[in-house]
């Protein structure tokens, strides 16, 4: 087996070296299904931009290719009944594209599915916004925060900056759109009247009742500040427009997020800008700059993952034995150094004494650093810090930024410090969109970085506080959940590696419980696989087939725990070797999540980086035993 493992390691290294881009990054796609593709078609058609026919044709083909036999579209392969919101969006995009007739069999099948599953009335809030702003539905009270709420002072118990940065990025333009009830509907737009089934839904009224108390509280706060300010409504709209402009990246996108930029374009239109306004033209160009090709068709990425890919892959290749003097590592390092942040972002509001020093996720990101990308980038630089002063300076800035971002509860969140106001749970999508609370995966990966890559004492108060927080988050059966991965396997892997890196022994009861749980859920083929349904049900749901990524995560944890090779580990390694050439389409199951039940991610780099890391660890630990 050793020869096969080493052979697979070398094959992965050679592949990754050959696929590095000229700028030193790895540009593997950040694939998020077809919703962004649908939105791009609808955007270009509603703005009547005629020069993009090749793009629209390709996106149309991609959407059609992803339709299932029952007429539906799904967020992931084993989504039980198809996804009504995604199916309505796809149906709409295909019709408005102009290339698919409404009597096309694919659309007839989709229409049948929609009608049988509650009609257009059953779509989620985000699809409702899409339909409302393009004139297919009447505007409703979809997100019940009054626009004036953005002017509530930071001393108020809930304010604009209590919302997560990714929540703010989307809510800022959405508030403008909802407030103005903006509609743009060209005469050529299709009519979706036949998707309404005419049944009144009480769901929204029920949701309003659940959130009424917090809305009343916010409205009371607004009335208090209205006594001191004239035209509070106008000032709030101007504030939101200025917020969008001030947080626009050099490529014209809002925080380099597709959805935020999509809404921002319509918000600019609502504010009276022409579709030919330079800000709108640049924003559309920015969205197009994130387009990649998957299986021969264009895909509009939600954002790019270049920094994330590059930091992970550079560290993995170095750990596999490629020296820092290799051209691949030199180019990757130069790329990452150029993308360390020098600007202050919104994070400074919650951490005012901290200087910039983090990294963001995407290629163009300059103001929205995150903890995971920062620790990953520092891992890739760790072998260079003593060779040149520039590396040491970069290292010090990054370390200080990470340490300053620890939450008061001991954990780490994704982007900012202490953005975990429990009042937000009373609002729609509170936990997933509005809050950026401490999570197992961020805390575990940060602990692993601090324990394995720095000389910070293992009994340092911040380490002890984070360790204590992680212990409190373990489930009874031995697993941990997570924020950005699927779901219990990802969380358990990150927690185990984090705890072991700070001198928690493999004989600790929490580690034993995790080991036993991972062993129990191994599939008969030797691998591991978890369904995206886990993060919806909040309990472990097995995937019928194993994935390379889940297998690598589980194995990495078990190898780190174990002092000798076990049958479980041997079977898992065999799976990684035997399935290494698995077809891309068969390996496309999303193992990342952006918003549970709404938004899932297939990282195209993951099928290489995590097996490589795990095989190298296995080879180093057991090859001579």
């Amino acid at each position: 087996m050793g020869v096969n493992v080493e052979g697979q390691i070398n094959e992965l290294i050679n592949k990754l070296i050959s696929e590095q881009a000229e700028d030193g990054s790895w540009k593997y796609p950040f694939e998020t299904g077809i919703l962004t593709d649908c939105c791009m078609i609808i955007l270009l058609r509603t703005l009547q931009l005629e020069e993009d026919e090749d793009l629209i044709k390709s996106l149309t083909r991609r959407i059609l290719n992803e339709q299932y036999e029952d007429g539906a579209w799904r967020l992931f392969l084993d989504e039980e009944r198809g996804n009504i919101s995604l199916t309505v969006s796809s149906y709409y995009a295909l019709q408005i594209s102009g290339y698919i007739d409404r009597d096309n069999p694919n659309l007839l099948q989709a229409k049948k599915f929609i009608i049988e599953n509650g009609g257009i009335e059953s779509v989620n809030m985000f699809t409702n916004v899409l339909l409302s702003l393009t004139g297919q539905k009447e505007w409703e009270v979809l997100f019940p925060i009054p626009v004036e709420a953005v002017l509530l002072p930071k001393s108020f118990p809930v304010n604009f900056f209590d919302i997560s940065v990714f929540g703010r990025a989307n809510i800022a333009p959405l508030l403008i759109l909802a407030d103005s009830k903006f509609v743009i509907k060209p005469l050529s737009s299709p009519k979706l009247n036949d998707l309404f089934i005419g049944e009144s839904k009480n769901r929204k009224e029920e949701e309003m009742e659940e959130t009424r108390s917090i809305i009343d509280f916010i409205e009371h706060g607004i009335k208090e500040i209205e006594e001191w300010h004239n035209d509070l409504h106008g000032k709030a709209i101007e504030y939101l427009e200025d917020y969008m402009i001030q947080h626009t990246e050099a490529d014209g996108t809002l925080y380099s997020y597709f959805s935020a930029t999509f809404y921002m374009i319509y918000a600019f239109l609502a504010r009276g800008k022409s579709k030919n306004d330079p800000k709108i033209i640049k924003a559309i160009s920015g969205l197009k700059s994130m387009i990649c090709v998957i299986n021969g068709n264009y895909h509009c990425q939600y954002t790019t993952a270049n920094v994330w890919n590059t930091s992970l892959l550079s560290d993995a290749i170095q750990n596999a034995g490629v020296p820092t003097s290799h051209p691949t590592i030199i180019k990757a390092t130069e790329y990452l150094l150029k993308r360390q942040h020098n600007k202050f972002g919104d994070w400074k509001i919650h951490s005012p004494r901290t200087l910039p020093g983090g990294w963001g996720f995407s290629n163009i990101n300059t103001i929205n650093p995150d903890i995971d990308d920062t620790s990953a980038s520092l891992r890739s630089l760790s072998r260079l810090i003593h060779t040149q002063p520039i590396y040491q300076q970069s290292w010090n800035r990054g370390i200080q930024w990470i340490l300053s971002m620890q939450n008061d509860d001991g954990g780490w969140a994704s982007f900012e410090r202490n953005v975990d106001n429990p009042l937000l749970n009373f609002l729609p999508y509170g936990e997933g969109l509005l809050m950026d609370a401490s999570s197992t995966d961020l805390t575990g990966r940060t602990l692993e970085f601090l324990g394995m890559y720095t000389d910070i004492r293992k009994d340092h108060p911040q380490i002890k506080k984070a360790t204590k927080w992680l212990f409190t988050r373990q489930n009874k059966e031995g697993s941990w959940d997570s924020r950005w991965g699927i779901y219990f396997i990802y969380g358990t892997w990150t927690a185990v590696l984090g705890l072991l890196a700070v001198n928690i022994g493999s004989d600790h009861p929490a580690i034993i419980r995790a080991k036993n749980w991972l062993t129990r859920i191994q599939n008969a083929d030797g691998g591991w696989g978890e369904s995206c349904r886990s993060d919806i049900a909040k309990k472990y749901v097995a995937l019928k087939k194993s994935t390379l990524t889940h297998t690598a995560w589980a194995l990495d944890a078990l190898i780190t725990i174990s002092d000798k090779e076990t049958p479980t580990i041997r079977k898992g390694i065999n799976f990684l070797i035997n399935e290494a050439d698995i077809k891309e389409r068969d390996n496309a199951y999303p193992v990342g999540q952006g918003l549970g039940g709404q938004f899932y991610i297939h990282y195209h780099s993951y099928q290489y980086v995590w097996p490589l890391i795990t095989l190298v660890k296995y080879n180093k630990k057991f090859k001579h035993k």
Side-chain angles (χ1 to χ4, degrees), residues 422-564:
L423 292 176
L424 295 174
N425 281 318
F426 291 95
L427 295 173
Y429 298 100
E431 182 180 1
L433 178 65
L434 303 185
M435 294 180 68
D436 185 21
S438 296
S439 66
T440 296
D441 39 331
L442 270 297
T443 305
R445 284 183 55 78
T446 303
L447 273 181
E448 184 198 7
F449 164 71
L450 295 174
M452 298 296 292
Y453 288 80
T454 77
D455 57 3
I456 295 175
R457 299 189 332 269
K458 306 298 190 292
D459 62 348
H460 188 281
Q462 287 190 258
I463 300 290
K464 292 172 70 175
K465 195 173 182 181
T467 302
K468 182 179 179 181
W469 183 86
L470 264 185
F471 282 139
T472 68
R473 301 293 297 180
Q474 190 178 28
N475 298 313
K476 289 182 179 180
E477 77 276 7
S479 69
W480 279 267
D481 63 10
S482 61
R483 171 61 185 87
W484 295 102
I486 303 299
Y487 175 63
F488 292 105
I489 292 177
Y490 185 67
T492 303
W493 165 64
T494 56
V496 166
L497 265 60
L499 291 170
L500 292 176
V502 294
N503 288 351
I504 300 301
S506 58
D507 58 350
H508 189 283
I511 302 299
I512 293 173
R513 286 195 298 271
K515 177 183 177 181
N516 292 339
W517 180 77
L518 287 170
T519 301
R520 284 198 306 273
I521 65 167
Q522 186 177 29
N523 290 334
D525 62 9
W528 282 259
E530 183 174 2
S531 172
C532 293
R533 290 154 55 199
S534 286
D535 78 345
I536 301 170
K538 302 304 180 188
K539 64 179 182 179
Y540 177 74
V541 179
L543 190 62
K544 290 182 179 179
K545 63 177 184 178
S546 300
T547 73
L548 291 174
T549 301
H550 282 124
T551 301
W553 290 339
L555 273 176
D556 193 5
L558 292 173
I559 291 168
T560 307
I561 294 169
S562 304
D563 56 3
K564 63 181 180 179

Side-chain angles (χ1 to χ4, degrees), residues 315-477:
D315 180 50
I317 292 170
Q318 291 177 68
N319 192 47
V322 175
T324 56
S325 58
H326 192 284
T328 295
I329 306 304
I330 292 172
K331 289 197 299 180
T333 301
E334 290 174 350
Y335 173 85
L336 290 172
L337 284 175
K338 291 176 183 176
R339 280 155 181 81
Q340 188 173 25
H341 289 194
N342 298 299
K343 298 179 182 179
F344 288 101
D346 287 352
W347 52 265
K348 185 172 175 59
I349 292 169
H350 298 283
S351 191
R353 296 186 180 87
T354 304
L355 294 174
W359 277 263
F361 184 81
S362 71
N363 182 55
I364 198 68
N365 189 325
T366 63
I367 55 172
N368 187 27
D370 66 85
I371 283 77
D372 232 355
D373 278 279
T374 301
S375 69
S377 295
L378 290 172
R379 290 174 194 235
S380 71
L381 298 176
S382 61
R383 301 162 186 85
L384 294 160
I385 57 175
H386 300 300
T387 63
Q388 292 185 45
I390 187 174
Y391 298 131
Q392 186 69 62
Q393 293 165 10
S394 178
W395 176 267
N396 291 343
R397 289 173 55 216
I399 292 288
Q400 288 304 313
W401 190 83
I402 285 177
L403 291 175
S404 74
M405 289 295 129
Q406 187 176 25
N407 286 340
D408 288 345
D409 63 11
W412 274 270
S414 305
F415 297 97
E416 296 175 333
R417 184 173 178 272
N418 291 338
V419 183
D420 52 6
N421 189 333
L423 292 176
L424 295 174
N425 281 318
F426 291 95
L427 295 173
Y429 298 100
E431 182 180 1
L433 178 65
L434 303 185
M435 294 180 68
D436 185 21
S438 296
S439 66
T440 296
D441 39 331
L442 270 297
T443 305
R445 284 183 55 78
T446 303
L447 273 181
E448 184 198 7
F449 164 71
L450 295 174
M452 298 296 292
Y453 288 80
T454 77
D455 57 3
I456 295 175
R457 299 189 332 269
K458 306 298 190 292
D459 62 348
H460 188 281
Q462 287 190 258
I463 300 290
K464 292 172 70 175
K465 195 173 182 181
T467 302
K468 182 179 179 181
W469 183 86
L470 264 185
F471 282 139
T472 68
R473 301 293 297 180
Q474 190 178 28
N475 298 313
K476 289 182 179 180
E477 77 276 7

